[in-house]
Amino acid sequence: MSYLSGLNESQLAAVTHVHGPIMVIAGAGSGKTRVLTFRIAHMINEGVDPFNILALTFTNKAAKEMSSRINTLIGSNEGKNITMGTFHSVFARILRYNADRLGYPTNFTIYDTQDSKSLLKDIIKELNLDDKVYKPGMVLGRISSAKNNLISAEAYAQNTEILSEDIQSRRPELVRIYAAYAQRCFKAGAMDFDDLLYQTNILLRDFPDVLHYYQQKFKYILVDEYQDTNYAQYLIVKKLAAVYENICVVGDDAQSIYSFRGANIQNILNFKNDYPDFQLYKLEQNYRSTKHIVEAANSVIARNQDQIKKSVWTDNVEGNKLTVLRTLTDNEEGRQISNRLFDLKHNSSSEYSDFAILYRTNKQSRSFEEALRKLNIPYKIYGGLSFYQRKEIKDLLAYFRLTTNPNDEEALKRVINYPKRGIGKTTIEQIIIASNNYNTSMWDVISNPSKYPVGLNSGTLGKISEFVTTIKSFSAELNKLNAYDLAQTIAKSSGILKDLYAEKDKGPEEVERYQNVEELLAGIKEFTISKGDDEDAGLADFMIDVALLTDADVNEDDDKNYVSLMTIHSSKGLEFKHVFLVGMEENLFPSQLSINSRSELEEERRLFYVAVTRAMESCTLSYATSRFIWGNLVSSEPSRFIDEIDTKHLQFDAPQRGQGRSLMGKSNAVNETFSGGLNNRFKSQPNLKPLSEMSSTRPHKENSDAIQVGSNVIHDRFGKGKVTKMEGSGADKKATIFFPHHGAKTVLLSFANLTILDED
């Protein structure tokens, strides 16, 4: 078959294996998406009905691109009949068709993180709890973890181990908050992101007829990025595939980096246990990177014990060695990287879009932003404010949400007095109290003032009545108007367009807000046109699409020429000609919070592997010998990951003191290829001292023998604490320490940098 001729031997084998369970381990840059796309096209050509195919992708954007490519390969539009998208988008639609089974309205709202935090903030206040102890973000993370492990609020309250952990961390009221949060979401007809998976599991568990229907519908299942699935996702897939076992999972255990989101690497490692007769295919040829980059990444990831062995290789050119750049401070690191980027861009045929600066945490971006601005280099920080998170967009979307689901309390609170209509904060609080007392929604309260008296004066009741009438008039058009026509009506009749237009003359920011709303309406117009006469062309359908956009789906500046600044986690799935991996220091990368166990350290090593393999032509690793942390200048040690790279793939380069530009010439570069640590590698660089000779303002590290149970200590990050447990010996000696504001933490003494406090 001609369309298969461009595949290599391993790709072809994976693509043409249609039936039964298979696992495809796809090394970085090995053509994973190509294999998925061709496999689906081949399945259809072999007679598999596309209506029977479920393909779960990493982003909705990827799903749309794959669908288009599949149609090109098979020469028809049959690709549109495949159920394809992210876990959340696919199962949100399944839940919508079956919402009544679970007691939810068909047009249930999907709360984003901001909505969830806002609701939790209200609950914490209503329960008279300290929001510095019960921070909404932390509480949401705890609830998210419970849901991803299919632990309901009721089960949480019965789990003595969980309750004990909460008590130990001095947050015993988490159980009450979770219960209130679950109840309030249900009352508002809302699900958060975790509910989309949690409730799908409940649906498939409690309604055998629903499970049977989807098992028969999805006879062929493909899962991308399987290493990033959590327990809830794993169970859904396992249930759906149980009858036919035509399941293909694709991923790379070496790129499993999302455990903080609940991802479980054991899902991919244990696939062989769930499907003993599975077939394994390995895609080991890297088409992206040079030999030095591929082999440098291999030499590091080989140190992980928990992995599926593979030998990634490439036929690409050898390329340049990875550059290791040592600077004296984090500010100098920013300047040097920016200078080198500027030089490389203007001495090659590269565009700014070919460059990425990757870091472990967002807070590291400051020095690079400052340096890039001084050189007039355009850049964009990923992970910033999304288009759909801007105030004016959230305001209009809140009206859309209320139109489709009037019980949505977060949307109601947002716009009941916007544009201003004289309904104040005190009034809103009284409505909330009444809804809680009567155990009903805020909408019920304001729609039935005689049934649920709030004690408001006639003037305020009149304003509320006008608001209710407005929303009801919008809802009445839901099944009559398409998404765009109804959105246009709401934007005008709500007063939002008029309010923003009146502000236009005040400055460029006000103009931009008005233009953003215009852009949103244009996007809805495009959505409506793309749907044509489909029945899924209403405003409620558009709202589901918006609610389920991933970070990678929202990129309104795709065609702009700028340098990309992002965390390594955000770079997953991307590639750049030139990558600068910065802040390569112990306790920064690997993170100080991730070196207390082998599993944590191995995930940090996988994260490093992901970062290096984003690079196509060049990769620079930089670190500073001193860095400002919490206002104090502390000395830094180079990351162990640099030392783990085979030296034949590295060149060591460091600017002379006071040097303002990058030193790219051979006479200024140190290219040592002998072992013995980074200090030795930099010995021959003029004007630089070995790290061992540099002064440090960091507190002296205590001898671990001096620390014992009962010791009061200070930790750089967590502050004062008391040692409650000691275990291990030598370099593996660990201490469990209780910190009043952070709970119990287990730290490796050889890296924790603890200072013992004098006992009073």
Side-chain angles (χ1 to χ4, degrees), residues 640-666:
R640 69 185 72 188
F641 296 149
I642 299 177
D643 230 13
E644 290 177 359
I645 299 174
D646 192 321
T647 54
K648 67 184 179 184
H649 304 302
L650 298 176
Q651 66 175 22
F652 300 92
D653 198 3
Q656 298 183 26
R657 274 187 193 155
Q659 191 77 23
R661 302 290 293 174
S662 60
L663 302 178
M664 303 297 284
K666 292 182 180 178

Side-chain angles (χ1 to χ4, degrees), residues 572-747:
K572 180 80 181 303
L574 304 177
E575 61 183 25
F576 303 90
K577 283 186 179 179
H578 310 288
V579 167
F580 294 90
L581 180 51
V582 301
M584 290 298 303
E585 297 146 32
E586 280 294 307
N587 297 330
L588 185 54
F589 191 27
S591 166
Q592 186 177 39
L593 301 178
S594 302
I595 55 176
N596 298 314
S597 69
R598 178 174 298 281
S599 62
E600 290 174 343
L601 179 58
E602 290 200 350
E603 175 145 339
E604 288 288 289
R605 192 175 283 117
R606 293 194 295 269
L607 189 60
F608 178 75
Y609 178 84
V610 166
V612 172
T613 54
R614 297 313 92 199
M616 301 167 70
E617 296 179 8
S618 76
C619 182
T620 298
L621 313 175
S622 69
Y623 71 96
T625 58
S626 59
R627 181 176 295 273
F628 275 99
I629 299 178
W630 302 110
N632 297 313
L633 186 66
V634 301
S635 70
S636 307
E637 298 177 1
S639 169
R640 69 185 72 188
F641 296 149
I642 299 177
D643 230 13
E644 290 177 359
I645 299 174
D646 192 321
T647 54
K648 67 184 179 184
H649 304 302
L650 298 176
Q651 66 175 22
F652 300 92
D653 198 3
Q656 298 183 26
R657 274 187 193 155
Q659 191 77 23
R661 302 290 293 174
S662 60
L663 302 178
M664 303 297 284
K666 292 182 180 178
S667 61
N668 292 319
V670 178
N671 187 4
E672 301 292 351
T673 57
F674 53 88
S675 60
L678 290 174
N679 287 332
N680 289 334
R681 297 178 190 175
F682 280 107
K683 257 184 185 176
S684 61
Q685 178 67 38
N687 298 324
L688 282 176
K689 296 180 181 180
L691 291 179
S692 58
E693 297 178 17
M694 294 187 67
S695 61
S696 169
T697 58
R698 193 167 186 165
H700 176 67
K701 190 182 293 183
E702 293 286 354
N703 186 319
S704 61
D705 293 335
I707 297 173
Q708 53 190 310
V709 173
S711 294
N712 291 306
V713 296
I714 290 182
H715 187 278
D716 285 350
R717 179 178 176 86
F718 303 123
K720 295 180 181 179
K722 181 183 284 291
V723 178
T724 60
K725 182 180 178 182
M726 298 285 292
E727 55 187 322
S729 61
D732 296 324
K733 196 171 186 179
K734 292 187 286 188
T736 300
I737 306 170
F738 181 78
F739 298 98
H741 298 294
H742 299 277
K745 303 286 183 183
T746 301
V747 300

Side-chain angles (χ1 to χ4, degrees), residues 111 115 118-119 122 401 408-415:
Y111 277 175
D115 295 320
S118 175
L119 175 55
D122 287 345
R401 284 164 50 175
D408 184 342
E409 293 192 0
E410 291 307 305
L412 192 152
K413 286 187 293 184
R414 187 176 189 97
V415 297

